[in-house]
Amino acid sequence: MNSTTMKNLFDLPNPRPNHEQFDDLIPDHGVKIERIISTGQTTPKGEWYDQDHDEWVILIQGQATLEYEKGHTVSLQSGDHILIPAHQKHRVAHTSTDPPCIWLAVHGALTSK
Amino acid sequence: MNSTTMKNLFDLPNPRPNHEQFDDLIPDHGVKIERIISTGQTTPKGEWYDQDHDEWVILIQGQATLEYEKGHTVSLQSGDHILIPAHQKHRVAHTSTDPPCIWLAVHGALTSK
């Protein structure tokens, strides 16, 4: 059996952390795949993620809202996925607590430059 | 609204296809993210996937079994994810029909070489 290398996305820490938790699902060799657990946390108002790399993110569980600097917002439900190109400024305006948000994010050079 | 760029992983074709269906979730610029819908299909016995790239795969819905050329098998449930390094020969030995399997696969250079 090689199942020691298998993990489950829904195995959450117990008790749940009070902070937002980031777990690398594979080591970062240029492409990072991470799980993010959010339980109500948001990006402070007026602060923006401004990333040097592209990010593709899918919300597997929960509900969340992304806000873009240009003014529009996007509400995400379970299964919704979206590509956030590098330097597209955004913030997390809402994350559900119950159920907690489980995000899967892929970071890297995902678009043509 | 920029929500035209948002899609949902659980939006399945209706009626479901009889074949295995592969959908690119982002265009392939060196990293490919795809959704695979399997409804009972398997890799023919004795045939192996022998990929030039690494693949990280997560089963979001359904049950499936992977078999490795070295002889061991791994059963996957919803949320299980596994890294398949390039040239690790494997086949899909089982996929559930009801519910259909929804896989999320990331292909690219994911490991150190």
Side-chain angles (χ1 to χ4, degrees), chain B residues 12-50:
Chain B
L12 300 188
N14 189 4
R16 286 208 296 265
N18 293 322
H19 53 86
E20 203 159 38
Q21 180 167 322
F22 300 80
D23 299 300
D24 281 3
L25 302 185
I26 62 167
D28 184 356
H29 297 289
V31 177
K32 185 166 78 169
I33 303 178
E34 68 176 355
R35 179 182 71 173
I36 306 168
I37 305 169
S38 310
T39 50
Q41 295 86 6
T42 59
T43 314
K45 280 206 172 185
E47 290 187 19
W48 302 97
Y49 283 105
D50 182 9

Side-chain angles (χ1 to χ4, degrees), chain A:
Chain A
M1 286 293 295
N2 194 26
S3 61
T4 50
T5 59
M6 191 171 72
K7 296 180 181 174
N8 191 285
L9 194 77
F10 298 110
D11 284 346
L12 300 188
N14 188 2
R16 287 207 296 263
N18 292 323
H19 52 87
E20 203 159 37
Q21 180 167 322
F22 300 80
D23 300 299
D24 282 2
L25 302 184
I26 62 168
D28 185 355
H29 297 289
V31 178
K32 184 165 80 168
I33 303 178
E34 70 176 354
R35 179 183 71 174
I36 306 167
I37 304 169
S38 311
T39 51
Q41 295 87 5
T42 59
T43 313
K45 280 204 173 186
E47 291 189 17
W48 303 97
Y49 283 106
D50 183 8
Q51 302 174 140
D52 290 332
H53 57 264
D54 306 312
E55 177 178 359
W56 180 86
V57 68
I58 180 168
L59 186 65
I60 299 292
Q61 175 183 287
Q63 300 88 36
T65 305
L66 294 180
E67 181 184 358
Y68 293 91
E69 193 190 23
K70 292 189 175 178
H72 61 282
T73 60
V74 175
S75 294
L76 293 95
Q77 308 291 327
S78 174
D80 285 337
H81 54 89
I82 199 162
L83 179 66
I84 303 172
H87 299 297
Q88 185 178 48
K89 293 185 184 179
H90 63 283
R91 59 184 291 276
V92 180
H94 168 77
T95 61
S96 62
T97 302
D98 188 17
C101 288
I102 302 178
W103 307 83
L104 186 62
V106 180
H107 304 264
L110 307 179
T111 61
S112 63
K113 287 297 185 308

Side-chain angles (χ1 to χ4, degrees), chain B residues 51-71:
Chain B
Q51 301 174 141
D52 290 334
H53 56 264
D54 306 310
E55 176 177 0
W56 180 87
V57 67
I58 181 169
L59 186 66
I60 298 292
Q61 175 183 286
Q63 301 88 37
T65 305
L66 294 180
E67 180 184 357
Y68 293 91
E69 194 190 23
K70 292 189 174 177

Side-chain angles (χ1 to χ4, degrees), chain B residues 92-113:
Chain B
V92 180
H94 168 77
T95 61
S96 62
T97 302
D98 187 18
C101 287
I102 301 177
W103 308 82
L104 186 62
V106 180
H107 304 264
L110 307 179
T111 61
S112 62
K113 287 297 185 306

